[in-house]
Amino acid sequence: MINRFSSRRQRIDRSFLASRLQGALTYDRIAGYFSSSLLEVVGEELDSIQGQIRVVCNSDLAPEDVQVAKAAVKRSWTASEPEKLLDSPGAFQARERFQRLYQMLSSGKLEVRVLPDEAFGLVHGKAGVITLADGNKLAFMGSANESKSAWKLNYELVWEDSSLEAVSWVQEEFDALWLSPYAIPLAEAVIQDVGRLAERKVIVLADWARSGEPPSDPAPAIVEAPVLRQEAGLWDHQKYFVKTVFDAHHGPIGKARFILADQVGLGKTLQLAMAAQLIALTGEKPILILAPKPLLPQWQDELMDKLGMPSAVWDGKNWIDENEIVYPARDSNDIKKCPRRVGLISTGLIKRKSDSVTRLLDIEYDCVILDEAHHARRRNLGPGKDEQKAEPNNLLAFIQQIAFQTRSLLLATATPVQLRPIEAWDLLEVLSRGDDSVLGSTLSRWRKPMDALEMVMSQPKAANKLEMWDWVRDPLPPKTEDPLFAQIRMRLGLEDDHLNVPGNRYGEVSMAQRQKLEWDFKEIMQHHNPFIRRIIRRTREYLENTLDPETSEPYLKKIDVVLWGEQNSDAVSLPSYLKEAYDLAEEFCRLLQQRLPSGGFLKTLLLRRIGSSVFAGMQTVQKMLSSWQTLPETVEDDEAEDDESISSSSMTLTKDERELLEKTLSALQSNRERDPKHAVVLHCLRDSRWLEKGCIVFSQYRDSVLSLAKFLSAEFPHELIGVYSGPDSSGLMLSGEWQPQERETLKQLVRQGKLRLLLGTDAASEGLNLQRLGRLINLDLPWNPTRLEQRKGRIQRIGQLNDSIEIYNLRYLGSVEDRVHQLLSTRLQSIHTLFGQIPDVLEDVWINVALGQQAQARQIIDALPEEHPFTIRYTDIEKIDWETCNRVLSSQEKLKALSVGWIGRSSMPLDYHPAT
């Protein structure tokens, strides 16, 4: 029997749905998108169903996401922002639906499976099979989705058919979707989140952080951050660091002083940013973040995109907030008037001893963060140098001073040791300024660098028992670090805020405790020294080989790296015209070197850009012939030390220099359409089928990226090609047509599997998750070797669909990159194993080789240690559950607190006139 229902004629929710579901035995339903359907598929009628309810829904997942189903389904659910329903006028009804939905999901009465769009196309058909209370079945089809608006408000048509043929037909359709290998069961994390939302309570800042007692739980401020709701979430090791900082900042000492030394790709920026946000919300003083100039945009984007945290960047003259509103400065003192709680400042200004940054020392901070902290080191460390007499560079001197001005201090570097172990001690010494819990009092043995390094690097030895006691007592480790220290503190009546013990109290320590100190001294020095306590370093290898006790799976999926371009035969041959241009450019650099005693980066720019692409080389030569001041991407002036600066008068070309440049341009223009590297990229994408796995191509220069995009768009006219560069220079290319796009759009297209080929400058090497792509090509090798690790980290990360990724490093045979590679070839693997990445000091190797200074380059390489000077282990990974917290800090209050400037006024000072 067929019955037809129209919402124009009758209320179909009552005449059809309610009457059929009341007391029904089972209900199988093909619905629409799961995020909205899941919230609406509840009601009294469903409660009355005696058996199981099964719903198969659509989603924006891709078929490949089946391999990472749990994370993918959760991300799709949280990205729909269901919590916003609880902040809407219909919050009471929404809470009831969440509560009812959680009861049904957790009991198993309701089971949901999710289908990717691409499995069957958009699942637009709506149908169902109901087994009535008497055992008879009926099928229905129509336009109505499983939502309140569909059944009560919209104009909908529904056809009901109780014939055996109709029921069998619809059931067959449902089963095909339900049993599809692409159908993903609803993740347990989604069910838990529904339960959390059912009990969700919004609290104000005073109830969490400003009620007299420091907050014990950071979860309310974090649980609905974009990184947890719209991104892939936080890894356990990231949560551990954030909680460690939070607990230390509010602990007995009241200060958090740590070095975060995780390997590249493990999310240092996000850990530091989240720690900074928590500190900002629990205090009132400024937060200062110092980072290299190229990283400042990534820092500001990550703060806003992942944490909803406003900030302002000092560009050397003005403050610029997250909305790109400019706050003009009238003098250098205005650097102290940051319009946001969090201020971002380039370390390059500090290296150059800019007048404005000295004003920063007038302020007291709740927290100071230094990114890429290995740049803060002593000058001229190397063979034959007296390490202890080497003077600090400008950055180290500055951070030594500002350490006294801040409550908490966080230093981030993947390589705490670049050349000499004393560099790690120097960073600890910075942390200790204003905090005796780090290295102890001024008389502590840990304050003597060579003695301290010998103690942790070699077999720990002490002359006698009292000397052993000296190493342990100042600073005396906290109770939580080991039962022995808890017993000693109890014996002496000392809480954790008592940092050192007088030497004459040794006699008060029990005989058993003294014997343990003596017998286990070696182990104590290895595992309970300031280096271990303050340097938090997790390696990819460790996370890949350590099992989560709850899941018995590794904390981090192992992703093997297959590297191409390492053999001499892999180097790209320079054709005659390009060889001529390259030789002329080298001669030009040598002339420039004779005339300009400093400015190594600028003097080697032409070689770097010719080595990147023919087009980039041509652009550079043309700019040099017209005006050096307009050179594209010349040198990060803001990152150069003060002795690296070059005056504008020095930029005037001599006759010989101009003649060399003109010849170089002529050679490049003779075959401008033939770029040898383009051919290699094409071979990888087409012949080696890298495009099928998804590929990103990196270059230091946008000129190179754009010329490659045009070439590849001609070769793949139907392939969408993304260009990820600056905020105003990113976009898509199809059949040679350029369309500007927001960078966020490019991220979403990659995530959805709709963009397989992405070309990026190093703007894409930070804060970008590209785990859907499985291949990477470095069009050029940057002089800063850390960039290679950061680029690789875009695809070698959690959620990568492939068990291995492939990387091709392109270099010209006989080029500077090739000669540097040959110099390092016997050491690269040991260096990488030793440090976890290639040390930044090798930047100087590139410049020395480019300028023909082979001996100096070799001296730097030979100075690198053959083995790690000391082992830094930090293996604690505590399971921390923030995602189920149902107390949520008001987002409006968070934004208000973080938008207050350093001068304590609103984010838009009345005496300022913002100009864009």
Side-chain angles (χ1 to χ4, degrees):
M1 182 178 179
I2 296 178
N3 294 312
R4 303 174 182 88
F5 299 87
S6 166
S7 60
R8 182 178 65 83
R9 302 171 185 266
Q10 59 203 132
R11 283 188 57 182
I12 58 176
D13 63 315
R14 307 313 307 170
S15 61
F16 168 69
L17 188 65
S19 63
R20 300 322 189 254
L21 291 181
Q22 189 67 42
L25 300 181
T26 62
Y27 181 29
D28 287 346
R29 179 72 155 108
I30 302 172
Y33 272 80
F34 97 93
S35 57
S36 58
S37 298
L38 201 56
L39 289 172
E40 299 289 358
V41 70
V42 289
E44 294 179 3
E45 293 77 16
L46 293 182
D47 283 343
S48 73
I49 295 175
Q50 300 177 45
Q52 191 178 40
I53 305 164
R54 298 189 299 177
V55 180
V56 62
C57 308
N58 215 179
S59 79
D60 58 359
L61 306 176
E64 294 87 349
D65 282 322
V66 174
Q67 300 177 47
V68 285
K70 292 180 180 179
V73 173
K74 180 191 174 187
R75 184 171 65 245
S76 187
W77 160 256
T78 53
S80 67
E81 299 180 308
E83 62 272 15
K84 286 191 174 181
L85 292 171
L86 296 169
D87 296 327
S88 66
F92 179 76
Q93 293 86 348
R95 186 177 303 280
E96 280 192 329
R97 290 204 303 272
F98 278 120
Q99 291 171 344
R100 189 175 297 168
L101 178 60
Y102 178 68
Q103 292 171 358
M104 297 176 72
L105 287 169
S106 59
S107 68
K109 181 174 184 178
L110 171 62
E111 186 178 353
V112 179
R113 293 187 182 179
V114 181
L115 271 173
D117 282 350
E118 296 180 25
F120 294 92
L122 180 65
V123 179
H124 203 266
K126 287 92 176 177
V129 174
I130 302 173
T131 303
L132 302 173
D134 59 8
N136 291 316
K137 295 187 176 184
L138 63 85
F140 69 91
M141 296 178 61
S143 60
N145 209 337
E146 201 69 17
S147 67
K148 177 181 178 181
S149 57
W151 291 114
K152 288 189 175 182
L153 304 177
N154 299 346
Y155 173 70
E156 306 282 2
L157 298 174
V158 175
W159 286 43
E160 175 191 53
D161 191 338
S162 58
S163 69
L164 181 62
E165 180 184 7
V167 169
S168 298
W169 191 87
V170 174
Q171 189 68 55
E172 184 179 342
E173 290 300 308
F174 174 86
D175 290 345
L177 302 180
W178 184 260
L179 299 175
S180 166
Y182 294 116
I184 302 170
L186 200 61
E188 183 63 30
V190 175
I191 298 174
Q192 288 182 350
D193 195 54
V194 173
R196 182 189 73 85
L197 292 169
E199 304 298 327
R200 179 177 181 266
K201 178 184 178 182
V202 177
I203 60 174
V204 296
L205 197 58
D207 290 340
W208 177 68
R210 306 257 174 96
S211 56
E213 292 292 329
S216 59
D217 184 9
I222 292 174
V223 64
E224 290 186 0
V227 67
L228 266 73
R229 306 299 291 169
Q230 300 167 25
E231 300 284 342
L234 289 172
W235 307 349
D236 288 323
H237 75 276
Q238 293 176 313
K239 292 180 184 178
Y240 182 84
F241 174 78
V242 174
K243 188 173 186 301
T244 297
V245 171
F246 183 82
D247 291 345
H249 185 79
H250 297 291
I253 309 301
K255 297 178 180 181
R257 303 246 170 159
F258 296 100
I259 299 168
L260 180 58
D262 285 347
Q263 279 188 328
V264 170
L266 297 183
K268 287 193 295 294
T269 303
L270 182 58
Q271 295 175 72
L272 294 165
M274 186 165 282
Q277 184 181 59
L278 290 171
I279 290 173
L281 290 171
T282 56
E284 296 181 350
K285 294 178 182 178
I287 306 292
L288 173 64
I289 297 175
L290 305 169
K293 182 180 179 181
L295 300 186
L296 293 181
Q298 282 77 36
W299 260 99
Q300 191 169 41
D301 288 348
E302 195 146 325
L303 287 170
M304 199 65 207
D305 295 346
K306 295 189 176 182
L307 298 177
M309 185 173 181
S311 63
V313 173
W314 177 258
D315 69 354
K317 297 179 181 178
N318 312 291
W319 284 106
I320 305 172
D321 70 16
E322 72 286 351
N323 297 313
E324 299 187 7
I325 295 176
V326 178
Y327 297 74
R330 292 156 296 195
D331 55 48
S332 58
N333 268 313
D334 279 355
I335 196 173
K336 296 189 289 186
K337 298 180 180 179
C338 177
R340 296 286 185 261
R341 177 65 60 79
V342 177
L344 298 158
I345 294 179
S346 165
T347 49
L349 294 173
I350 299 169
K351 290 179 180 181
R352 290 168 43 207
K353 300 189 75 170
S354 169
D355 179 60
S356 59
V357 296
T358 61
R359 305 295 195 277
L360 296 173
L361 298 173
D362 299 336
I363 304 173
E364 290 187 353
Y365 305 89
D366 272 329
C367 182
V368 172
I369 294 173
L370 174 62
D371 199 2
E372 303 290 328
H374 53 272
H375 291 302
R377 55 179 181 257
R378 304 187 186 209
R379 298 179 187 270
N380 303 320
L381 280 179
K385 304 288 184 180
D386 187 336
E387 296 178 0
Q388 296 192 75
K389 291 184 178 179
E391 293 294 319
N393 65 9
N394 293 339
L395 182 57
L396 179 57
F398 179 85
I399 203 71
Q400 286 172 341
Q401 295 177 71
I402 209 167
F404 291 109
Q405 300 296 112
T406 183
R407 177 175 170 183
S408 289
L409 178 61
L410 306 175
L411 310 178
T413 170
T415 52
V417 175
Q418 288 271 307
L419 277 175
R420 292 287 183 268
I422 199 169
E423 292 172 314
W425 183 89
D426 283 340
L427 295 181
L428 285 183
E429 196 277 334
V430 167
L431 297 183
S432 75
R433 296 191 173 215
D435 185 356
D436 285 353
S437 69
V438 179
L439 288 176
S441 66
T442 55
L443 299 178
S444 169
R445 289 182 177 270
W446 295 107
R447 292 279 181 179
K448 300 175 181 178
M450 306 318 293
D451 292 349
L453 290 169
E454 183 180 1
M455 179 57 65
V456 298
M457 287 167 53
S458 58
Q459 295 292 324
K461 297 177 183 178
N464 51 53
K465 297 176 183 179
L466 288 179
E467 188 175 320
M468 293 181 188
W469 174 238
D470 277 349
W471 282 106
V472 172
R473 69 175 180 82
D474 190 7
L476 183 64
K479 292 181 291 187
T480 54
E481 194 164 301
D482 189 87
L484 173 62
F485 305 127
Q487 294 165 9
I488 292 175
R489 284 187 172 277
M490 181 179 295
R491 178 85 176 189
L492 300 180
L494 303 176
E495 294 299 325
D496 279 348
D497 59 354
H498 199 111
L499 302 178
N500 60 78
V501 185
N504 58 13
R505 296 198 67 181
Y506 182 62
E508 299 177 42
V509 178
S510 73
M511 180 63 69
Q513 292 162 2
R514 278 183 274 170
Q515 285 180 340
K516 187 168 181 58
L517 282 175
E518 181 182 352
W519 293 341
D520 297 343
F521 182 71
K522 176 181 177 181
E523 183 180 348
I524 290 171
M525 287 298 97
Q526 287 179 337
H527 299 284
H528 301 286
N529 64 67
F531 293 89
I532 301 298
R533 194 172 299 123
R534 299 293 173 166
I535 302 178
I536 298 179
R537 178 176 181 256
R538 282 73 58 94
T539 65
R540 175 172 289 279
E541 180 184 12
Y542 169 74
L543 295 174
E544 289 174 344
N545 291 291
T546 302
L547 298 182
D548 182 338
E550 292 186 7
T551 64
S552 297
E553 296 179 357
Y555 282 106
L556 196 62
K557 174 186 173 183
K558 187 172 184 178
I559 304 167
D560 294 324
V561 178
V562 179
L563 199 58
W564 300 92
E566 291 301 290
Q567 304 300 318
N568 289 335
S569 58
D570 293 331
V572 182
S573 297
L574 278 166
S576 57
Y577 78 93
L578 196 52
K579 179 70 166 61
E580 179 187 358
Y582 202 88
D583 290 345
L584 290 166
E586 285 203 276
E587 179 60 26
F588 171 79
C589 288
R590 280 192 285 271
L591 287 181
L592 212 58
Q593 167 66 8
Q594 295 171 9
R595 185 165 65 87
L596 303 177
S598 60
F601 297 151
L602 184 58
K603 288 179 292 190
T604 59
L605 173 71
L606 181 56
L607 281 176
R608 286 189 280 132
R609 286 176 62 87
I610 289 178
S612 175
S613 70
V614 173
F615 183 70
M618 288 171 49
Q619 290 287 96
T620 306
V621 174
Q622 290 169 343
K623 290 288 186 180
M624 284 181 164
L625 287 170
S626 59
S627 172
W628 281 49
Q629 282 84 349
T630 61
L631 277 175
E633 303 171 78
T634 51
V635 61
E636 294 150 2
D637 280 336
D638 200 35
E639 294 310 306
E641 293 275 5
D642 50 342
D643 60 352
E644 279 285 308
S645 59
I646 298 177
S647 65
S648 57
S649 61
S650 301
M651 294 183 178
T652 303
L653 293 171
T654 66
K655 178 182 177 182
D656 289 343
E657 290 167 353
R658 178 170 291 276
E659 184 178 327
L660 279 171
L661 285 179
E662 289 171 345
K663 289 180 179 179
T664 303
L665 182 61
S666 178
L668 290 171
Q669 289 177 329
S670 64
N671 282 276
R672 67 174 69 182
E673 302 302 324
R674 290 197 308 123
D675 192 310
K677 288 189 176 181
H678 288 183
V680 178
V681 173
L682 181 62
H683 173 79
C684 290
L685 294 175
R686 178 180 287 166
D687 301 337
S688 298
R689 308 182 74 169
W690 281 23
L691 185 57
E692 295 178 10
K693 292 289 187 179
C695 183
I696 181 169
V697 184
F698 273 109
S699 171
Q700 298 175 85
Y701 309 111
R702 189 168 184 271
D703 292 342
S704 298
V705 166
L706 287 179
S707 64
L708 179 61
K710 292 175 182 177
F711 169 77
L712 293 177
S713 191
E715 296 292 334
F716 302 99
H718 303 298
E719 185 73 29
L720 194 63
I721 298 174
V723 173
Y724 195 102
S725 185
D728 302 320
S729 55
S730 299
L732 293 167
M733 188 172 286
L734 183 65
S735 299
E737 294 293 324
W738 172 258
Q739 181 182 3
Q741 287 287 348
E742 295 286 335
R743 293 188 292 184
E744 187 58 37
T745 300
L746 300 181
K747 295 180 189 178
Q748 294 296 335
L749 289 173
V750 171
R751 182 180 296 167
Q752 296 164 9
K754 297 176 181 178
L755 183 61
R756 302 188 298 175
L757 183 55
L758 187 66
L759 315 182
T761 63
D762 282 314
S765 68
E766 283 284 321
L768 189 60
N769 302 326
L770 302 174
Q771 51 265 53
R772 187 173 292 280
L773 306 179
R775 303 293 181 263
L776 186 153
I777 300 173
N778 287 308
L779 195 66
D780 45 50
L781 303 181
W783 55 264
N784 184 334
T786 299
R787 286 291 181 198
L788 289 174
E789 296 297 320
Q790 290 168 334
R791 291 174 179 182
K792 183 182 71 170
R794 298 312 98 209
I795 63 174
Q796 190 187 19
R797 59 194 308 111
I798 192 169
Q800 171 57 246
L801 303 178
N802 300 282
D803 293 329
S804 65
I805 58 174
E806 296 188 54
I807 299 174
Y808 202 135
N809 293 328
L810 295 180
R811 70 183 194 280
Y812 282 124
L813 187 65
S815 66
V816 174
E817 291 92 341
D818 188 41
R819 297 199 292 272
V820 170
H821 184 272
Q822 290 177 20
L823 277 173
L824 288 171
S825 60
T826 59
R827 292 292 314 280
L828 274 176
Q829 186 57 49
S830 65
I831 290 170
H832 189 276
T833 302
L834 187 64
F835 295 102
Q837 72 175 64
I838 303 173
D840 282 357
V841 293
L842 297 184
E843 298 168 8
D844 296 331
V845 170
W846 202 105
I847 295 170
N848 287 333
V849 171
L851 298 176
Q853 300 166 348
Q854 302 288 115
Q856 292 92 321
R858 171 61 68 184
Q859 190 176 45
I860 294 173
I861 295 170
D862 291 343
L864 293 171
E866 293 288 346
E867 59 182 4
H868 206 299
F870 49 80
T871 302
I872 304 171
R873 296 187 184 92
Y874 212 99
T875 57
D876 292 343
I877 301 180
E878 180 184 342
K879 295 295 290 185
I880 299 170
D881 180 17
W882 288 335
E883 287 81 355
T884 58
C885 179
N886 55 30
R887 295 173 70 245
V888 179
L889 187 59
S890 165
S891 57
Q892 291 182 334
E893 287 219 352
K894 282 174 62 176
L895 186 61
K896 181 179 178 181
L898 297 171
S899 297
V900 174
W902 288 1
I903 51 178
R905 291 184 286 184
S906 69
S907 60
M908 297 289 186
L910 296 177
D911 58 341
Y912 269 56
H913 301 284
T916 57

